[in-house]
Amino acid sequence: MQYRLGDICTITKGATGIMKAIPGAYTMIALGETDKTHNEYQFDTKAVIIPLVSSTGHGHASMKRVKYYEGKFALGNILCAVIPKDENFVLAKYLHIYLHWNREELLVSQMKGMANVSLPMNRIADVMVTIPSIEKQREIVSLEKELAIREIEILRLYEKQLTQIENLNQAILQEAVQGKLVQQNSKDEPASELLKRIKAEKAKSGKTEKPLSTIKPKEIPFEIPERWVWCRLSEICSKIGSGSTPKGGNYSEDGFPFFRSQNIHNEGLIYDDIKFISDGVQNQMKGTIVLPNDILLNITGGSMGRCALVSNNFIEGNVSQHVCIIRPMQLNNEYLHKVVLSPYFQKFIFSSTTGAGREGLPKYNLVQFVIPIPPLCEQKRIVAEIEKQFAKTKQLKEHILANQQATEDLLKALLHQAFEAKETVNEEAKAKVVDFIPKICNEPEKAMLAGHIINMTNNEDFGRVKFQKLLHLTEYFCKIDMGSNYVQKVAGPHDDNLIKNIESTLKKLRFYEIRQQGFHSKVNYTALVSASELDSLFKERFKDEESKIDAFLNKFKKSTWEQCEIVSTLYAVWNNRIIKQQSITDDLLKQDFLNWDKNKAKYKDRLDNALTWMRDKGITPDGWGKYIGKPQLSKK
């Protein structure tokens, strides 16, 4: 049976400010994975710990984990403790398992706020949880413990494999800078000639530079091919220098992008949490302007050594003092970027830092770095070979990550099966089965649910495709028995009889008028006189399912019909594989999606983002519902 969390538990907010904790003998539970300590304790009990703020910060609702603790502990004031009133009725550990594995649906969906996203305690109290017998709870606790042990073992294996792949990437880069990755070509112009041209170009610019010391034999760590040459980094660059900070932190709403160390990644520039500066500030900071094909290197802090190559279609930007601009001359910039990422160059960086506390790489050390330069033609061949090898290791990495995700999905599915499994209790020599029973809808109730879906998600993009896809998803995810018989059609799961009957009932009950101007035009749903009664009718007929349905539909309020089509089809192929007990990886799901119908190819580049979104929102199947196959051909 289901119970309101506030009726069976006390819910108490933490009393200690995270930053005000005084290290001591007691664990102080914090928001992150790692807890702190405090000199006093607030609780001495078994408790489920729920965050009251988003795990990922500003403007985004998320929760990475629900925690559990036994004994004496302090609690940060951005979390709350959920403590069962009667451990003979509900185990705290069972509640932890149930809430952690259903956190997206039950908790994240209840968060509010556009900027500072939070989870009010009164909404936690209203969460409905399934409570089986105490014996069944103990079985689930034992199952979760066993599965967790196995998961840790498997994840350690995956972690080891990922480390091996990263080591392989590093070995590829090291071979590249040593001239061992591609064959040399005697027809290539020697790199010494390239270096002469660069020096000549520098001389023409009239820019004076401090003379560089001659490279000594002890500075050369390995032999390089005959047509290569050693040089110092500043010999081949027109600019090496760090950025600065706008006076008074003078940022703008828009304008030129201002890159800080958190925006600099080996794969390229990341625009999350980006700052902007105005035209005027950009003009004041001319000396630190970022141009296309520049190499940006983090030179301080925990991300020191991370390096991005600016794309050739970039327009203009600027950087902070924690980032250094490296601007090569007449080189293949992709080659130099790979050199900077190599173990050889990274070792230079971390052996040349100065400063206590926040270490940094000074410019006077960076300009002296000794660099191996191959002929220009060979630089291009090296880059091409690195990309070829990296493509293979990336494929291996994606396969490992997919297996890792599949392991987590399997664990979740097994626990969900346990939550919803049949439970037999002896009562007066009769077997009483306690099981999840889906709501079976009659025709008016189908129309009420359909009308509620229209009410909640009817935006400018709303039409029959979005309507039917949300109908399918609501039925399968929220486990509402609509008596449907979906088949594979071009736009995803389709039940022609269901949609016709529902639309007919919507009109008959004067909820909605359905209009379509032409055969290919969008279907519009226009509210009729009885539409105002839909809300109260829905609450009355779906009182046990209302919160779950509303939390689910809220995730699709701003979705386009194409997004709904993609998610509905991915959900169907994923659920099909669970039903048939087949392997589940992202690659297999994407292939099933593309095999659904030839017209699905247009969504090929959107599937990775769609799967990520589904997992972030907790919209993943567990095998409930019917298998959705191709329509049966009628026999003549």
Side-chain angles (χ1 to χ4, degrees), residues 212-265:
L212 296 166
S213 59
T214 304
I215 297 173
K216 300 174 183 176
K218 66 179 183 179
E219 293 182 85
I220 297 175
F222 49 77
E223 291 185 5
I224 55 176
E226 184 180 354
R227 306 180 85 79
W228 289 37
V229 66
W230 288 101
C231 66
R232 298 198 185 276
L233 184 62
S234 64
E235 288 184 77
I236 55 171
C237 295
S238 62
K239 179 178 182 61
I240 298 177
S242 60
S244 59
T245 300
K247 292 181 180 178
N250 193 8
Y251 298 118
S252 304
E253 291 295 323
D254 54 22
F256 291 96
F258 183 78
F259 299 106
R260 298 168 294 161
S261 55
Q262 58 260 52
N263 305 119
I264 311 300
H265 289 257

Side-chain angles (χ1 to χ4, degrees), residues 32-46:
E33 187 173 359
T34 304
D35 293 322
K36 298 188 175 184
T37 63
H38 192 48
N39 63 344
E40 296 178 339
Y41 67 89
Q42 182 182 356
F43 301 94
D44 184 3
T45 187
K46 299 175 182 178

Side-chain angles (χ1 to χ4, degrees), residues 277-433:
I277 56 176
S278 65
D279 293 1
V281 175
Q282 177 78 340
N283 287 331
Q284 293 171 11
M285 300 171 66
K286 283 185 177 179
T288 56
I289 287 177
V290 176
L291 299 177
N293 296 310
D294 279 349
I295 295 170
L296 304 181
L297 174 67
N298 286 349
I299 54 174
T300 66
S303 65
M304 185 166 59
R306 219 161 59 195
C307 176
L309 175 64
V310 180
S311 66
N312 56 16
N313 59 4
F314 181 80
I315 299 175
E316 191 177 304
N318 221 298
V319 290
S320 78
Q321 71 270 30
H322 304 298
V323 181
C324 179
I325 301 171
I326 301 174
R327 189 169 294 153
M329 299 174 64
Q330 299 189 30
L331 260 68
N332 184 300
N333 291 29
E334 290 182 273
Y335 168 76
L336 188 57
H337 177 237
K338 297 294 191 289
V339 171
V340 175
L341 296 179
S342 69
Y344 167 70
F345 197 99
Q346 292 288 311
K347 183 179 179 182
F348 261 139
I349 290 174
F350 288 96
S351 63
S352 305
T353 56
T354 60
R358 187 181 179 110
E359 291 186 337
L361 173 64
K363 176 183 174 180
Y364 58 79
N365 280 346
L366 181 60
V367 298
Q368 296 285 341
F369 282 3
V370 178
I371 305 297
I373 302 297
L376 190 57
C377 290
E378 189 172 343
Q379 291 176 34
K380 296 175 183 177
R381 295 198 301 273
I382 289 171
V383 169
E385 184 61 27
I386 291 174
E387 294 300 333
K388 180 181 175 182
Q389 298 288 351
F390 276 13
K392 294 178 182 178
T393 58
K394 182 183 178 183
Q395 193 174 20
L396 284 172
K397 183 176 181 180
E398 288 175 348
H399 181 69
I400 292 169
L401 292 174
N403 286 339
Q404 190 172 339
Q405 183 61 53
T407 299
E408 186 173 335
D409 290 343
L410 178 60
L411 174 60
K412 185 175 181 179
L414 288 171
L415 285 171
H416 272 288
Q417 287 177 15
F419 293 141
E420 297 171 1
K422 292 181 179 180
E423 182 179 0
T424 302
V425 180
N426 289 325
E427 184 179 319
E428 296 179 358
K430 288 186 177 182
K432 181 183 176 183
V433 177

Side-chain angles (χ1 to χ4, degrees), residues 496-508:
D496 194 51
N497 289 331
L498 179 67
I499 199 74
K500 285 179 178 177
N501 290 338
I502 283 176
E503 288 184 346
S504 174
T505 309
L506 284 171
K507 288 193 289 186
K508 191 182 298 181

Side-chain angles (χ1 to χ4, degrees), residues 14-57:
T16 308
I18 300 291
M19 302 307 294
K20 294 181 179 179
I22 301 170
Y26 303 103
T27 295
M28 195 197 80
I29 301 177
L31 188 64
E33 187 173 359
T34 304
D35 293 322
K36 298 188 175 184
T37 63
H38 192 48
N39 63 344
E40 296 178 339
Y41 67 89
Q42 182 182 356
F43 301 94
D44 184 3
T45 187
K46 299 175 182 178
V48 182
I49 313 300
I50 299 176
L52 299 175
V53 297
S54 173
S55 300
T56 49

